[in-house]
Amino acid sequence: MIRLAVALAFVGLNWFVYAQLGTREVVPARETFASFPLAVGDWRCAEPQEMEPEVDAVLGVTDYLLCDFAGPSLPVNVYVGYHESQVRRYDESGDRVTSIHPPEHCLPGGGWSIMDSRIVPIASGDLVGEAKRFVIVKGDQRNVVYFWYQSRGRVIARNHEVILYKFWDRATRGRSDGALVRLTAPLVESDPDAADAAIRALAAELTPRFDPYLPR
């Protein structure tokens, strides 16, 4: 009897998921990063950067913000890449719509070695969650990197949670949109805490402005 109940529940779950995934995907309205403020608190971005076309094509982002913010202490590079869909399909132009690329997969391809990795708490506006903190090295360069996935009202660091929530939200809400937020600052040997302090100070000013650009 128990086996029959489990089997029926499994069949019901599969029917629900496939029925929902077969419906039209919901793409929420949002502002584009072209209107994102380049002055937040004591931080200023002189000019947004553009990715190389081949990098843009690989990442498959719908919209992004890429800029160096200068502030009271260390500069912080900001990248926020938004994907309106992460369903693997071809859109009307024939280009493949891709999922978010985890930085731990991309950094080694760019010549960076990850020397330290840990999960740390982070607040993005009024959303509380987790970020991954990396120390990365390439030649004489050493940086501290914080990144998290901000998707549909959640702030997540762990890749398996991103996959599970994407599956659940696609089935229950018709949505798979999401973003990667990455903040990078140089690691100063004489003050090893300065990079973390700069990243967190900018995040406190920057992230409360995300709502129009990263739909919940």
Side-chain angles (χ1 to χ4, degrees):
M1 189 66 181
I2 294 177
R3 290 183 179 178
L4 177 59
V6 171
L8 289 174
F10 182 76
V11 170
L13 177 62
N14 274 274
W15 174 85
F16 172 75
V17 169
Y18 282 111
Q20 292 300 317
L21 291 180
T23 61
R24 185 175 180 86
E25 188 171 10
V26 175
V27 177
R30 56 177 292 273
E31 298 290 332
T32 68
F33 283 121
S35 66
F36 194 86
L38 301 181
V40 292
D42 295 327
W43 299 82
R44 301 289 184 275
C45 168
E47 185 176 358
Q49 303 165 22
E50 292 188 5
M51 292 189 289
E52 296 293 331
E54 57 270 22
V55 175
D56 194 356
V58 169
L59 294 179
V61 291
T62 304
D63 188 21
Y64 67 90
L65 172 68
L66 179 62
C67 202
D68 291 321
F69 278 80
S73 55
L74 299 176
V76 178
N77 177 264
V78 173
Y79 168 74
V80 186
Y82 175 77
H83 297 244
E84 69 177 15
S85 170
Q86 295 184 75
V87 175
R88 299 195 67 81
R89 58 176 171 79
Y90 287 93
D91 64 18
E92 294 177 356
S93 66
D95 296 325
R96 183 175 287 277
V97 179
T98 62
S99 296
I100 297 172
H101 290 220
E104 57 259 62
H105 296 172
C106 299
L107 288 168
W112 293 93
S113 298
I114 300 172
M115 304 303 295
D116 183 60
S117 175
R118 66 187 70 172
I119 301 291
V120 296
I122 197 73
S124 182
D126 63 349
L127 299 174
V128 178
E130 294 179 328
K132 281 188 180 177
R133 177 192 182 273
F134 286 167
V135 175
I136 59 174
V137 178
K138 181 167 70 172
D140 295 333
Q141 302 177 67
R142 292 176 179 265
N143 292 332
V144 174
V145 181
Y146 280 51
F147 77 88
W148 65 89
Y149 305 93
Q150 187 155 331
S151 301
R152 305 172 302 280
R154 302 184 187 92
V155 173
I156 304 170
R158 304 170 197 270
N159 293 334
H160 70 277
E161 292 184 4
V162 173
I163 294 171
L164 290 173
Y165 279 123
K166 181 174 68 174
F167 178 83
W168 176 253
D169 289 345
R170 180 67 179 93
T172 60
R173 302 170 61 186
R175 289 176 57 185
S176 68
D177 56 295
L180 175 74
V181 181
R182 188 190 69 209
L183 307 180
T184 307
L187 180 60
V188 181
E189 291 188 12
S190 60
D191 188 358
D193 296 328
D196 292 84
I199 288 172
R200 289 187 175 275
L202 177 57
E205 296 286 355
L206 197 73
T207 58
R209 296 166 168 82
F210 279 170
D211 271 357
Y213 308 91
L214 306 181
R216 298 196 183 195

